[in-house]
Amino acid sequence: MEALYLLIPLSVLVVFIALWVYFKASDSGQFDDLVGPGLRVLQDDDTSPDEPRS
């Protein structure tokens, strides 16, 4: 029973920290463009890193 006096406040603290991290990432624009990076992988780029792009 004494363990619950420690575990319940600790779990509430962990939930608040997780929510804070999520909303901080959301406010900084972390989730703004979810489609663009996936489509950039599919674009065909045949140039090697040594040759300049024209």
Side-chain angles (χ1 to χ4, degrees), residues 15-43:
V15 167
F16 280 125
I17 290 173
L19 285 172
W20 179 76
V21 167
Y22 172 75
F23 284 116
K24 186 167 176 66
S26 179
D27 287 341
S28 69
Q30 182 74 29
F31 306 117
D32 283 349
D33 185 18
L34 298 176
V35 178
L39 293 176
R40 259 184 254 124
V41 172
L42 299 175
Q43 289 178 348

Side-chain angles (χ1 to χ4, degrees), residues 45-54:
D45 187 14
D46 291 336
T47 59
S48 67
D50 294 337
E51 71 182 59
R53 292 183 177 189
S54 53

